[in-house]
Amino acid sequence: MKNTGKWLRKRFTGKSSLPHYSILLIISLVIAYSLHLGFWKRTDRIIASDVLHYYAYLPAFFIYKDIELEFVNQDPDAWVKKMWPSWSPIYKNVIMTTMGMSIMYAPAFLTTHAIMQLSGFDDDGYAPPYRFGLIVGGWVYLVLALYFLKRILLRYYSHGVTAITLLMVGVGTNLFHYASAEPTMSHQYSFFLFAAFLLLTIRWHEKPRLWDAILLGVVSGLITLVRPSNIIVGLIFVFWQAGSFTDFRSKFKLLKNYYPHLLVLILAGFMMWIPQLLYWKQVTGTYFYYSYGDQQGFYFNNPQIINSLFSYRKGWLVYTPIMLFAFMGMALLWRKNRSLFLPLLIFSVVNIYIVSSWWAWWYGGGFGLRAYIESYVFFALAMGAFVQYVLSWRFAMLKLPVLLMIVSLIGLNLFQTRQQYFGSIHYIGMTKEAYWHSFLRLKPYGNYYHLLTIPDMEKARKGIYEYEPFIKPAE
């Protein structure tokens, strides 16, 4: 107890404690809002929508002992709301998504499953305790992600700057929504993996160690298993600390000298994919399989970049405006730290292009453009540069308006999170008129629903974007 007290006093006293208070505040707000919502009590939440695909590997393997999902065929009516398998070329059920999220869920699932078996309760994998267990697991990943991000930011910024930046990311963006209201979606898990990846990248470049290279491979493999298009995270590793021609030469020499580390990294990443490849071979007849089919893919010749960033329907910077400070910070990094600027710029450009090229550029339901959430780890470095610049101003009268704007945008994000819950920010149908009609109004009113439009999904799958009037379902 005495040593525990010393540990707590060391971390929660003085200026060095500020980032810890930020993390404590973020996770407290997330937990409080999650408990307030109580979504684990509802069958249409937590294990629902895309999560039905992400999660399916776990009950299929550990409970029903049937990875081919034949039990679904035996009683399809009982499973229609629990599993949505596709039909493979060799006429077997196949889970549409890769198994990365099931791996991430596994600690929470296995813990809950063990408790359920010991207690003698229904252990079907879908009961409320399983849903609550997944929520708690998400909280753990969020704490770890914020801790990793804190360690990253402290390498470049003061404790005060780090604390403010953590708050901007944790409660000023739609990460908050996906950590509390939709905690089983992939984004806070990818946020954790990106934070681990960046911390390991920094550590390896500071002092190349074989163990860090192995961990980088494992984390990279998980990143791509969760979302294959996130393979571009490798750009951060390749261009890290390369801000000039001289830096490029030094970086090439470093990679050349430590090429065994790179081989081990690649091998570790590939090892993470072996269970997936074996699963695909068993249920599809081939080691590599695109389970989304011809109807869902990327249109790289028609990226919706403007819509992705600025559309009232789901535009990233419309619903997460605090990220504008990150772009201002990028300009500061260009002037003061190009070895950080260049990898962030290259990744950001490629990531925006890929994200905006997906056939459903709005990425289904939810709040804001969720596909950018994991990249907040990298943008936090640019945010920190902006906050540091503002705090360096001599006159408080100049700092105060900017700091108040930051606080206001955090408040706006929390309020709009509630608007999304009540429906005054529609999950897919927002327009400019609907947005301003509902601005700062918690619940829908008046002719709000007449201002919404819905994408024509069939045309969107062909890369054609047209929108139809919203028809409110009968209550």
Side-chain angles (χ1 to χ4, degrees):
M1 290 293 293
K2 186 176 180 181
N3 291 334
T4 302
K6 287 182 178 179
W7 184 87
L8 289 171
R9 284 194 297 273
K10 183 178 179 181
R11 281 155 180 78
F12 289 93
T13 57
K15 290 183 178 179
S16 62
S17 67
L18 293 175
H20 299 125
Y21 283 117
S22 290
I23 293 174
L24 183 61
L25 177 58
I26 293 165
I27 194 64
S28 296
L29 290 172
V30 166
I31 291 174
Y33 191 47
S34 296
L35 295 176
H36 168 72
L37 293 172
F39 282 162
W40 70 89
K41 304 171 188 176
R42 295 173 50 174
T43 58
D44 63 337
R45 295 283 187 166
I46 307 302
I47 305 176
S49 187
D50 290 355
V51 181
L52 292 174
H53 302 298
Y54 301 153
Y55 180 73
Y57 292 94
L58 293 172
F61 184 82
F62 289 103
I63 297 178
Y64 301 101
K65 316 296 184 183
D66 179 11
I67 202 65
E68 295 185 9
L69 310 184
E70 290 184 1
F71 59 91
V72 176
N73 298 335
Q74 295 170 6
D75 192 0
D77 292 337
W79 289 97
V80 68
K81 293 184 178 181
K82 293 181 179 179
M83 287 194 182
W84 297 342
S86 302
W87 200 235
S88 82
I90 59 173
Y91 308 108
K92 292 183 179 181
N93 285 324
V94 57
I95 299 169
M96 189 186 333
T97 58
T98 47
M99 62 179 62
M101 283 303 297
S102 279
I103 294 172
M104 300 298 289
Y105 297 146
F109 168 83
L110 292 173
T111 301
T112 305
H113 188 54
I115 294 172
M116 295 291 280
Q117 287 186 313
L118 291 172
S119 303
F121 291 113
D122 183 9
D123 58 352
D124 69 342
Y126 293 86
Y130 286 95
R131 296 196 287 269
F132 187 74
L134 292 176
I135 292 173
V136 174
W139 296 343
V140 174
Y141 281 118
L142 179 62
V143 171
L144 291 173
L146 293 171
Y147 173 72
F148 292 160
L149 184 56
K150 181 211 74 169
R151 291 184 58 185
I152 292 165
L153 291 169
L154 286 176
R155 279 172 158 77
Y156 304 97
Y157 307 114
S158 69
H159 289 88
V161 170
T162 297
I164 294 172
T165 304
L166 287 171
L167 287 173
M168 292 169 72
V169 172
V171 290
T173 71
N174 54 343
L175 172 63
F176 179 81
H177 171 87
Y178 284 95
S180 54
E182 298 189 62
T184 46
M185 292 295 283
S186 66
H187 308 292
Q188 75 166 332
Y189 297 85
S190 290
F191 182 78
F192 159 77
L193 290 171
F194 271 45
F197 179 89
L198 182 55
L199 182 59
L200 288 167
T201 293
I202 294 170
R203 281 177 39 170
W204 188 87
H205 281 81
E206 289 174 346
K207 186 176 180 180
R209 298 182 181 89
L210 183 60
W211 178 241
D212 284 339
I214 294 171
L215 290 176
L216 268 169
V218 171
V219 171
S220 300
L222 281 172
I223 286 173
T224 54
L225 265 177
V226 169
R227 186 179 172 199
S229 62
N230 275 341
I231 192 173
I232 62 169
V233 74
L235 294 170
I236 293 291
F237 181 85
V238 171
F239 290 99
W240 193 253
Q241 291 186 340
S244 66
F245 181 72
T246 302
D247 290 341
F248 271 110
R249 292 180 61 184
S250 299
K251 182 63 180 284
F252 178 77
K253 185 177 180 181
L254 175 68
L255 296 178
K256 182 180 178 181
N257 290 341
Y258 287 93
Y259 76 89
H261 287 204
L262 301 183
L263 295 178
V264 169
L265 188 161
I266 294 170
L267 179 61
F270 177 75
M271 292 290 289
M272 297 302 298
W273 271 80
I274 287 179
Q276 183 69 59
L277 301 180
L278 293 177
Y279 166 73
W280 276 339
K281 179 64 175 177
Q282 181 174 340
V283 299
T284 72
T286 179
Y287 287 109
F288 297 95
Y289 180 70
Y290 185 71
S291 54
Y292 282 89
D294 297 333
Q295 295 297 309
Q296 299 185 56
F298 291 92
Y299 288 94
F300 293 114
N301 61 340
N302 186 28
Q304 299 295 299
I305 294 174
I306 300 300
N307 279 330
S308 182
L309 298 179
F310 303 113
S311 169
Y312 281 94
R313 185 172 307 281
K314 270 296 186 67
W316 176 34
L317 299 177
V318 172
Y319 293 97
T320 311
I322 205 166
M323 273 295 155
L324 289 167
F325 293 131
F327 286 94
M328 297 178 190
M330 291 275 283
L332 294 169
L333 289 177
W334 164 256
R335 291 171 49 198
K336 297 184 178 181
N337 193 339
R338 294 193 182 182
S339 63
L340 282 182
F341 168 80
L342 191 62
L344 296 183
L345 176 67
I346 293 172
F347 172 84
S348 299
V349 170
V350 175
N351 189 47
I352 290 171
Y353 173 66
I354 290 176
V355 167
S356 63
S357 296
W358 182 243
W359 72 273
W361 62 262
W362 53 88
Y363 286 79
F367 174 55
L369 212 304
R370 56 190 174 90
Y372 290 112
I373 290 175
E374 43 264 52
S375 63
Y376 296 171
V377 170
F378 305 145
F379 281 108
L381 291 169
M383 273 187 169
F386 174 79
V387 173
Q388 182 183 57
Y389 176 68
V390 171
L391 294 182
S392 70
W393 293 348
R394 180 175 301 180
F395 300 106
M397 290 184 64
L398 296 177
K399 300 178 190 178
L400 188 58
V402 179
L403 295 176
L404 287 175
M405 186 178 297
I406 290 173
V407 172
S408 298
L409 290 177
I410 289 175
L412 177 65
N413 180 70
L414 295 175
F415 183 78
Q416 289 191 330
T417 300
R418 289 298 284 166
Q419 283 186 295
Q420 196 277 340
Y421 170 78
F422 284 110
S424 55
I425 291 181
H426 195 266
Y427 65 93
I428 197 174
M430 292 301 288
T431 62
K432 178 181 178 181
E433 294 76 16
Y435 179 87
W436 290 109
H437 179 84
S438 288
F439 189 69
L440 298 184
R441 291 180 180 270
L442 192 59
K443 298 180 180 181
Y445 82 103
N447 66 336
Y448 165 73
Y449 290 104
H450 296 287
L451 302 175
L452 303 176
T453 61
I454 301 297
D456 184 322
M457 295 298 187
E458 293 303 315
K459 290 184 178 179
R461 288 187 176 92
K462 301 174 183 177
I464 302 169
Y465 300 103
E466 296 181 3
Y467 307 95
E468 304 170 343
F470 174 76
I471 300 176
K472 185 180 178 183
E475 297 181 357

